[in-house]
Amino acid sequence: ITLASRAPSYFLNSSNFENDGSIRALVEASDGSFVITGDYYDDNYDNCMITKFASDGTLMWTSDIYADEYTSSSDVIETSDGNFVVVGDWEDYSTYNYNAIIVKFHSTGPPIWGEQVGEEESNTEFNGVVETSDNGLVAVGEHDYQDGLIVKYDADGTLQWSRIISLASYDVNAREVVETADNGLVISAYIGDNSKGLAEIGLIKLNSTGDFVWARRVSGTSDIYGRATCLTSDGGFVIAGDSELVDPEDDGFILKLDSTGILEYAWNIAGTSDERIQSVFQSSDGAVVLGGYNRDSVADTGYSMIMKVDYTTGTSSWARKIGTSDREQIQDIVECQDGGIAFCGYTDLGPLDHDSVIGKTQHDGTIPNCTEIETDTPVITTLTVSEQALTMTSSASGLPYDESG
């Protein structure tokens, strides 16, 4: 359903994708279209899908991933050949164990190849994927709720190498991966300090063959969750997420680290209640654009939010909020070729409960003639965190890798 009348190429559309849809990630394709991935409930099972929209938000095609059980997707990218890759996991309801999946789709929708990673009586998932400079693919995730998992494939889905990332007295869950200018890989991870019972952030660098280079952690006196990572033009990194370091109700934050993982800036972002940042990119002018949501579960209110922040000064040039219910969530944002901002997530703005939403705003987060977007006023202050070197181990995973169709 189209929610408002607006100028061409800027839109806000919602759909339930058959039943109770949830979009997790999107990418702008080289032809200006948008491809999203997410989950929906159908015939007593959760399935995941990949869907393509034209540049004006018109639906073009949808393909599904079925595994006869629960299937979930986490990330999607366009590859250099114009096709798309989705990663996620599927659950065997007979054992309640998860296997990670990676599937490549043709630009017109049909699957090309798929692989799964896992073993009986264990749990494995993929959370993020990147195409490397040699046209290969690196997928990252978690194995058995305690170790990070990094797997390298060639362009045809053939395994090249795999690594388990372990840390004594910590649980490691690799969430996102980027390729650096030297063809190395930097992985951001949730790390759980089992001795303190706290969530922390890990930043891990491997070389192009999967060997360990360095690792650093960011921690505080309360939980801190890094949910999104991007490369910056100076070779460093921005990590965004949420923490309880300033407010027990959760605030958003952004961290800027240099190319070796040394902390340079840290900012707390407070809204009217719980604030969570889910996605980040660096715009062409050097500032970062953040996407996420604000939620007051007691008052049953909230909104999705998009804002632009200068990470060197902690100032926001603009901030927008979308919707008014506690179900509004932006899960992913990307900068478009024309300078606009595309986003996806959940909404209550549509006709059904918990609909999926995809939209595109102008460069300042607005949509002409759209009354669902209002100005937001976040409060940004300095954030105190500590950053230290980590001693981690990287070893061959030894997990079975099976072609899944």
Side-chain angles (χ1 to χ4, degrees):
I1 178 173
T2 300
L3 299 178
S5 175
R6 59 199 61 83
S9 81
Y10 302 107
F11 60 89
L12 182 61
N13 290 349
S14 74
S15 169
N16 77 322
F17 288 103
E18 298 185 48
N19 289 288
D20 204 17
S22 301
I23 303 179
R24 304 294 178 80
L26 87 160
V27 63
E28 185 189 27
S30 53
D31 62 1
S33 63
F34 301 100
V35 172
I36 58 97
T37 191
D39 312 332
Y40 69 91
Y41 185 76
D42 183 47
D43 294 332
N44 297 319
Y45 294 107
D46 286 318
N47 302 293
C48 63
M49 51 73 185
I50 176 173
T51 301
K52 187 172 186 179
F53 294 87
S55 60
D56 63 355
T58 302
L59 179 66
M60 297 177 68
W61 54 256
T62 295
S63 288
D64 297 322
I65 302 174
Y66 294 99
D68 296 325
E69 311 284 356
Y70 171 91
T71 312
S72 176
S73 57
S74 302
D75 199 10
V76 59
I77 61 170
E78 183 184 30
T79 52
S80 55
D81 57 8
N83 298 315
F84 304 98
V85 171
V86 172
V87 295
D89 58 81
W90 71 274
E91 180 185 10
D92 184 343
Y93 276 0
S94 64
T95 63
Y96 297 102
N97 295 132
Y98 290 84
N99 280 356
I101 58 171
I102 178 170
V103 184
K104 187 169 186 177
F105 290 88
H106 192 271
S107 60
T108 58
I112 299 174
W113 55 258
E115 299 286 332
Q116 64 175 331
V117 181
E119 56 190 351
E120 292 185 4
E121 299 183 359
S122 70
N123 294 280
T124 306
E125 64 180 12
F126 282 147
N127 299 312
V129 62
V130 68
E131 185 179 33
T132 52
S133 55
D134 62 0
N135 298 326
L137 299 162
V138 172
V140 300
E142 179 186 43
H143 175 60
D144 254 1
Y145 307 117
Q146 61 185 5
D147 296 322
L149 175 65
I150 298 93
V151 183
K152 173 71 184 298
Y153 299 92
D154 68 13
D156 297 320
T158 301
L159 176 69
Q160 295 192 315
W161 53 260
S162 64
R163 296 289 184 270
I164 288 288
I165 303 294
S166 302
L167 177 62
S169 301
Y170 283 81
D171 296 327
V172 181
N173 185 346
R175 303 296 301 177
E176 294 197 343
V177 57
V178 296
E179 186 180 36
T180 54
D182 60 2
N183 298 330
L185 301 164
V186 169
I187 297 103
S188 62
Y190 295 169
I191 55 175
D193 186 336
N194 295 324
S195 64
K196 298 178 181 178
L198 292 178
E200 301 176 350
I201 298 170
L203 199 65
I204 306 149
K205 184 167 185 181
L206 308 179
N207 65 17
S208 60
T209 57
D211 299 319
F212 181 78
V213 179
W214 53 255
R216 306 198 73 82
R217 64 183 262 225
V218 178
S219 60
T221 55
S222 298
D223 290 336
I224 180 169
Y225 295 94
R227 301 188 186 277
T229 304
C230 72
L231 278 170
T232 53
S233 55
D234 61 359
F237 313 93
V238 166
I239 300 176
D242 55 272
S243 80
E244 299 176 354
L245 297 176
V246 176
D247 186 340
E249 296 298 323
D250 280 345
D251 287 338
F253 71 82
I254 54 173
L255 309 175
K256 171 63 171 63
L257 303 99
D258 70 12
S259 61
T260 62
I262 303 299
L263 182 67
E264 295 181 316
Y265 304 98
W267 303 101
N268 189 76
I269 303 173
T272 56
S273 53
D274 292 356
E275 193 95 349
R276 178 174 292 184
I277 299 172
Q278 296 284 94
S279 186
V280 60
F281 67 80
Q282 186 179 34
S283 63
S284 53
D285 63 4
V288 293
V289 177
L290 312 169
Y293 59 93
N294 184 293
R295 173 178 295 174
D296 186 335
S297 56
V298 176
D300 198 31
T301 60
Y303 52 84
S304 295
M305 62 87 176
I306 306 174
M307 70 180 71
K308 190 172 189 177
V309 177
D310 183 334
Y311 61 73
T312 64
T313 64
T315 55
S316 175
S317 54
W318 54 261
R320 313 293 179 212
K321 56 184 179 180
I322 307 171
T324 58
S325 89
D326 70 338
R327 296 178 184 270
E328 308 297 332
Q329 292 188 26
I330 284 180
Q331 293 289 307
D332 200 10
I333 56 171
V334 297
E335 186 171 34
C336 302
Q337 300 168 40
D338 62 2
I341 300 165
F343 63 90
C344 68
Y346 322 147
T347 185
D348 263 0
L349 294 174
L352 300 174
D353 184 42
H354 199 65
D355 289 357
S356 299
V357 64
I358 178 172
K360 181 184 176 184
T361 74
Q362 300 181 108
H363 70 281
D364 61 354
T366 60
I367 297 176
N369 303 317
C370 183
T371 60
E372 305 293 347
I373 298 182
E374 301 177 4
T375 298
D376 196 10
T377 55
V379 177
I380 302 177
T381 56
T382 56
L383 181 66
T384 300
V385 294
S386 63
E387 168 259 310
Q388 300 169 297
L390 276 176
T391 301
M392 309 188 80
T393 60
S394 172
S395 58
S397 73
L399 290 170
Y401 300 85
D402 299 318
E403 184 177 353
S404 56

